[in-house]
């Protein structure tokens, strides 16, 4: 599959993903985080959210995963260099999230054919409310 060319300023919109019961349980088991606000409905009803919420990093990981589905990164990624992420609102069970991703920077490295790519994410729910935002830097090859 031919990967799309990348240029600073390019904007990509990811598909959506609805966060369900199985996603929360799988993520909790994968990372070992069974904090009650995520897995215990009775407890979560007593919190300011009034119901269970997804783990913050679950939203981050889902947004990055949705971006990979666009085909922009694929085999050109050598590795993750940095993440800087803000969590502005909860993601509830049943929310459908998607990301708008902007190519902010493509900087060549000292090694021929390699670049550091910086991608800005805005993650929104089904009501178009921003729930997370962040930047991801990755080492790329073959632009």
């Amino acid at each position: 599959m031919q990967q799309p060319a990348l240029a600073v300023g390019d904007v990509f919109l990811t598909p959506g993903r609805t966060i369900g019961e199985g996603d929360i349980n799988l993520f909790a088991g994968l990372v070992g985080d069974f904090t009650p606000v995520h897995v215990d409905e009775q407890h979560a009803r007593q919190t300011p959210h009034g119901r269970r919420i997804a783990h913050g990093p679950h939203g981050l990981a889902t947004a990055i995963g949705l971006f990979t589905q666009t085909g922009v990164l694929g085999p050109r990624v050598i590795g993750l260099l940095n993440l800087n992420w803000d969590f502005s609102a909860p993601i509830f069970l049943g929310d459908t999230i998607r990301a708008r991703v902007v190519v902010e920077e493509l900087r060549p490295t000292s090694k021929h054919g390699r670049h550091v790519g910086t991608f800005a994410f805005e993650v929104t729910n089904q009501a178009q409310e921003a729930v997370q935002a962040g930047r991801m830097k990755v080492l790329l090859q073959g632009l």
Side-chain angles (χ1 to χ4, degrees):
M1 176 171 91
Q2 183 74 17
Q3 288 185 281
L6 280 180
V8 171
D10 285 350
V11 177
F12 300 92
L13 300 174
T14 72
R17 173 87 162 81
T18 302
I19 304 300
E21 177 76 32
D23 300 310
I24 300 296
N25 291 329
L26 185 61
F27 193 85
L30 180 66
V31 301
D33 179 352
F34 296 94
T35 303
V37 72
H38 306 304
V39 299
D40 182 336
E41 184 64 35
Q42 296 304 312
H43 171 82
R45 286 183 186 157
Q46 306 306 312
T47 71
H49 304 299
R51 55 188 167 141
R52 290 187 297 150
I53 61 173
H55 300 73
H58 185 174
L60 176 157
T62 300
I64 293 171
L66 291 169
F67 183 46
T68 67
Q69 292 179 27
T70 66
V72 172
L73 298 177
R76 65 172 43 133
V77 172
I78 297 171
L80 178 65
L81 299 174
N82 184 267
L83 287 172
N84 183 351
W85 217 262
D86 294 313
F87 306 90
S88 55
I91 297 171
F92 296 103
L93 275 76
D95 279 356
T96 299
I97 61 171
R98 56 182 32 87
R100 179 179 182 274
V101 184
V102 179
V103 180
E104 278 195 339
E105 181 181 37
L106 295 170
R107 178 178 48 84
T109 70
S110 60
K111 293 194 177 178
H112 178 71
R114 292 185 179 184
H115 291 76
V116 172
T118 303
F119 300 87
F121 284 71
E122 180 185 47
V123 184
T124 57
N125 63 18
Q126 66 280 355
Q128 312 307 314
E129 299 164 331
V131 294
Q132 297 184 2
R135 286 182 171 61
M136 175 180 76
K137 284 188 182 186
V138 291
L139 185 60
L140 303 168
Q141 63 186 354
L143 293 184

